């Protein structure tokens, strides 16, 4: 597969410096190393935002920074929890500090427009803190940062096609229809279709406990059945994201429609 021309990690420093002359939006994918059932790889939460960011950057003539692979701790009711081997969680302060430092370095390069695109539910407020710290620390009036989580851009028409039986919300979609379909679209070779989990939905109360309660979580790690997932649904969601996230990026960074 050819390397997308927008990925910073595949550029030499002169190539990167030249691209920065146009003041592009720099996309920073963030995610997590976390169990995703018996059929998906541990890297789903950073592989998907990296793929989506690349899709949007190619639309908006932007750049994609290397993904932040590690994220905040897996919580039982949204990610299965820490008792699954392979889930590697950071403390919240660590994640915030990592994001702050990366943004600070991008600003030092001359970057003025940054879109953080996240793929792990539990990251949200720690990313917010990191962005806030970076913006305050750099004191750069021209800096503009936007933070997005990709599932927020699912529109009603797409939801109706992907979830004809009803959408239970992103908290229940861990390792299920949405992520499996997107991985079938972007990385089909990493999906073990013969191991797709067809388990009953998670049955847990509306609160968390410490220590975590593994018995609340399906043993597969998928919070609902992933059996209805398909490549076609993944392509539908990817197009929805290309359209809606691109529109939001163009609007927020004043890129116009060309």
């Amino acid at each position: 597969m050819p390397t997308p021309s927008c990925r910073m990690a595949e550029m030499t420093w002169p190539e990167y410096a030249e691209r920065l002359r146009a003041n592009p939006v720099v996309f920073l994918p963030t995610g997590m190393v976390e169990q995703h059932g018996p059929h998906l790889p541990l890297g789903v939460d950073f592989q998907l935002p990296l793929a989506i960011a690349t899709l949007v950057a190619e639309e908006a003539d932007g750049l994609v920074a290397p993904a932040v692979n590690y994220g905040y701790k897996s919580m039982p009711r949204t990610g299965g929890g820490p008792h699954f081997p392979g889930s590697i969680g950071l403390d919240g302060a660590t994640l915030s500090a990592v994001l702050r430092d990366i943004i600070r370095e991008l600003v030092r390069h001359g970057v003025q427009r940054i879109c953080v695109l996240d793929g792990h539910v539990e990251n949200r407020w720690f990313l917010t803190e990191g962005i806030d710290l970076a913006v305050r620390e750099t004191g750069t009036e021209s800096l503009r940062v936007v933070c997005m989580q990709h599932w927020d851009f699912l529109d009603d028409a797409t939801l109706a096609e992907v979830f004809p039986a009803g959408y239970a919300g992103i908290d229940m979609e861990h390792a299920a229809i949405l992520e499996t379909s997107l991985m079938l679209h972007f990385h089909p070779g990493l999906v073990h279709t013969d191991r797709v989990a067809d388990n009953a939905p998670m049955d847990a109360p509306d609160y968390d406990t410490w220590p975590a309660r593994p018995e609340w979580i399906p043993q597969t790690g998928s919070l609902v059945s992933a059996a209805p997932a398909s490549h076609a649904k993944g392509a539908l969601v990817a197009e929805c994201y290309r359209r809606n996230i691109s529109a939001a990026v163009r609007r927020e960074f004043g890129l116009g429609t060309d």
Side-chain angles (χ1 to χ4, degrees):
M1 179 180 296
T3 301
S5 60
C6 60
R7 289 192 180 174
M8 172 183 166
E10 305 300 329
M11 299 177 182
T12 64
W13 76 260
E15 291 169 337
Y16 173 62
E18 178 62 28
R19 290 292 300 272
L20 290 185
R21 290 168 62 87
N23 189 25
V25 175
V26 174
F27 294 84
L28 178 56
T30 57
M32 173 62 167
V33 177
E34 180 184 37
Q35 75 83 23
H36 277 79
H39 62 294
L40 293 177
L42 296 168
V44 166
D45 282 356
F46 65 81
Q47 289 167 332
L48 288 181
L50 178 59
I52 296 162
T54 301
L55 194 68
V56 177
E58 289 173 339
E59 287 277 309
D61 199 24
L63 297 178
V64 180
V68 179
N69 293 356
Y70 295 96
Y72 185 65
K73 302 158 192 170
S74 178
M75 300 300 290
R77 294 187 299 114
T78 48
H83 64 281
F84 286 94
S87 296
I88 303 175
L90 302 179
D91 287 345
T94 303
L95 178 57
S96 295
V98 167
L99 198 72
R100 177 202 64 196
D101 290 357
I102 293 172
I103 292 174
R104 183 179 61 199
E105 288 295 280
L106 291 173
V107 172
R108 183 176 62 81
H109 300 163
V111 174
Q112 299 178 28
R113 303 191 285 194
I114 299 170
C115 178
V116 178
L117 183 60
D118 184 49
H120 181 60
V121 170
E122 292 92 330
N123 280 349
R124 184 168 201 141
W125 296 114
F126 302 106
L127 298 178
T128 299
E129 175 72 355
I131 293 167
D132 185 63
L133 291 172
V135 170
R136 284 191 280 160
E137 184 175 320
T138 59
T140 306
E141 292 185 3
S142 60
L143 175 63
R144 184 168 181 81
V145 184
V146 173
C147 187
M148 304 173 172
Q149 292 187 303
H150 61 77
W151 47 86
D152 289 334
F153 291 85
L154 290 166
D155 53 39
D156 290 343
T158 303
L159 286 171
E161 289 198 55
V162 175
F163 301 97
Y167 177 51
I170 193 60
D171 285 358
M172 287 287 287
E173 265 299 306
H174 183 76
I177 299 169
L178 180 63
E179 290 182 317
T180 303
S181 295
L182 283 168
M183 287 297 288
L184 283 168
H185 175 68
F186 287 118
H187 298 291
L190 297 180
V191 183
H192 299 279
T193 53
D194 58 326
R195 306 178 199 167
V196 169
D198 189 15
N199 51 268
M202 175 183 67
D203 183 16
D206 295 326
Y207 55 82
D208 297 307
T209 67
W210 285 262
R213 302 283 294 276
E215 63 269 24
W216 290 352
I217 312 304
Q219 292 183 356
T220 64
S222 297
L223 301 190
V224 298
S225 173
S230 69
H231 177 279
K233 289 181 178 180
L236 191 69
V237 173
E239 171 56 23
C240 172
Y241 285 166
R242 185 201 63 76
R243 181 176 62 249
N244 293 340
I245 297 177
S246 294
V249 167
R250 290 184 181 281
R251 181 173 62 250
E252 291 302 322
F253 293 107
L255 298 181
T257 58
D258 294 331

